[in-house]
């Protein structure tokens, strides 16, 4: 199942990634059946250029908001400030949501960020196709 994201949401994610630089940025995608309905920008409390850590209280609030909106957690995004958009060993170790896509944005080329998605189950990485929906 591919991950569908609106062009406007993808641009918002790129902007959020750039604004977090030189730290990794992170956020969550709420939606249904592989369609992103809402992008929730999050704080990287690790404030690091090599790892990200969600704020647990902020995460609880967003999970509640998703629940209220009838959304599932379908994507977990973070940026890589200099490396390619591929899960690091740490990313794999910290992938606790087998039903959620792991979306990585590489800022290796700031002008043209690269967004890729993966499913990470039991330490195994599968590539998830991203379909960008034009408009809005
Ligand atoms: Zn990473």
């Amino acid at each position: 199942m591919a991950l569908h994201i609106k062009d406007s949401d993808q641009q918002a994610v790129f902007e959020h990634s750039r604004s977090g630089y030189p730290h990794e940025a992170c956020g969550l995608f709420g939606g249904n059946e592989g369609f992103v309905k809402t992008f929730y920008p999050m704080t990287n409390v690790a404030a690091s250029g090599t790892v990200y850590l969600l704020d647990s209280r902020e995460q609880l609030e967003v999970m509640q908001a998703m629940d209220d909106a009838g959304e599932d957690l379908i994507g977990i995004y973070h940026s890589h400030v200099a490396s390619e958009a591929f899960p690091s060993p740490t990313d794999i170790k910290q992938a606790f949501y087998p039903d959620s896509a792991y979306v990585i944005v590489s800022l290796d080329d700031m002008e043209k960020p690269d967004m890729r998605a993966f499913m990470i189950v039991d330490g195994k990485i599968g590539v998830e196709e991203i379909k960008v929906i034009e408009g809005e």
Side-chain angles (χ1 to χ4, degrees):
M1 186 165 59
L3 187 74
H4 298 74
I5 184 167
K6 279 183 291 187
D7 184 49
S8 55
D9 281 335
Q10 189 185 47
Q11 292 308 319
V13 172
F14 288 164
E15 207 41 56
H16 185 249
S17 297
R18 288 195 195 97
S19 71
Y21 188 88
H23 294 156
E24 290 193 0
C26 52
L28 302 175
F29 297 131
N32 305 100
E33 311 284 336
F35 282 82
V36 176
K37 281 212 298 212
T38 314
F39 164 47
Y40 299 90
M42 305 286 286
T43 309
N44 176 6
V45 290
S48 157
T50 49
V51 291
Y52 72 103
L53 183 65
L54 298 180
D55 179 291
S56 54
R57 217 190 64 162
E58 195 178 35
Q59 185 180 0
L60 275 180
E61 286 169 7
V62 167
M63 300 292 244
Q64 186 62 57
M66 280 185 196
D67 213 36
D68 292 345
E71 299 169 352
D72 301 318
L73 173 63
I74 63 165
I76 300 170
Y77 123 84
H78 72 286
S79 65
H80 282 175
V81 295
S83 58
E84 64 173 335
F86 195 80
S88 70
T90 307
D91 292 337
I92 297 164
K93 218 183 300 166
Q94 295 180 346
F96 303 124
Y97 295 89
D99 297 326
S100 169
Y102 284 84
V103 177
I104 302 179
V105 171
S106 171
L107 291 179
D108 201 21
D109 181 348
M110 273 284 190
E111 301 295 310
K112 278 199 184 127
D114 187 20
M115 178 188 272
R116 294 191 202 168
F118 306 87
M119 301 303 293
I120 305 175
V121 182
D122 293 332
K124 293 195 175 59
I125 303 169
V127 174
E128 184 83 341
E129 192 188 352
I130 297 178
K131 289 193 172 155
V132 179
I133 304 164
E134 299 291 322
E136 280 179 85

